Amino acid sequence: MLKKIDTQHSWKESLFALMQKDVMYMLLLGFSAGLPLLLIFSSLSLWLVQAGIEKSAVTYFSWAALGYSFKFVWAPLVDSLPIPFLTRFLGLRRSWLLVSQLSIVVAVSIMACTNPAVEDQLVYMALGAVLLGFSSATQDISIDAYRIESV
């Protein structure tokens, strides 16, 4: 006969579990992984439409999110390729996290410093969006691997 497992916990026990240091790190890592994704999928298209960019050009910017669709292609590289100097000091996962987060900062800075209404600067906006998509997907790979190893 199967025993019934008591799965009811009080809200205090649940809150205490969320306040543990490791759980808080994982929560913050998950939050940091979601921010660039939100910028690529929703905010960018709204920003471009408000800048007066044609809708046909705005749809090309959705290609920047293809990094998420094809992250299985470079995930094995992220899992096995050490980054010179950083891997020795930080470890494989944290070194990839650092590189991807610095790339995200550069990509967001590029996008923030360009005016999409100026035709010559639209190319820089597109390059920043593609860099953001690739860097964000790489960060997602690293965070998932770090979570799995930590658990």
Side-chain angles (χ1 to χ4, degrees):
M1 181 159 219
L2 295 173
K3 291 183 179 181
K4 184 177 178 183
I5 299 173
D6 184 24
T7 57
Q8 288 186 331
H9 298 285
S10 70
W11 63 272
K12 289 180 185 179
E13 291 172 330
S14 300
L15 188 61
F16 179 72
L18 288 175
M19 293 301 165
Q20 293 179 2
K21 186 173 88 171
D22 293 337
V23 174
M24 192 61 70
Y25 286 152
M26 295 303 151
L27 182 68
L28 291 174
L29 283 173
F31 180 75
S32 69
L35 286 178
L37 183 66
L38 180 66
L39 178 62
I40 290 175
F41 282 120
S42 61
S43 301
L44 180 62
S45 61
L46 180 64
W47 184 17
L48 292 172
V49 168
Q50 286 182 345
I53 306 299
E54 297 176 12
K55 291 199 183 257
S56 60
V58 172
T59 57
Y60 286 120
F61 277 87
S62 66
W63 290 9
L66 284 177
Y68 279 95
S69 300
F70 293 106
K71 70 181 183 178
F72 69 91
V73 174
W74 73 89
L77 291 175
V78 172
D79 281 341
S80 61
L81 188 66
I83 298 174
F85 305 111
L86 286 178
T87 302
R88 187 171 8 152
F89 296 112
L90 297 175
L92 184 64
R93 305 295 177 220
R94 287 185 282 183
S95 62
W96 274 104
L97 276 172
L98 179 65
V99 168
S100 63
Q101 287 178 345
L102 290 175
S103 300
I104 289 170
V105 168
V106 168
V108 170
S109 298
I110 290 170
M111 293 172 68
C113 292
T114 58
N115 183 2
V118 177
E119 188 174 329
D120 294 339
Q121 292 186 8
L122 193 59
V123 173
Y124 296 115
M125 177 69 80
L127 290 174
V130 169
L131 177 63
L132 181 63
F134 179 76
S135 304
S136 179
T138 304
Q139 177 185 347
D140 199 36
I141 293 167
S142 302
I143 287 174
D144 288 343
Y146 187 72
R147 284 179 180 169
I148 290 169
E149 284 182 356
S150 295
V151 170

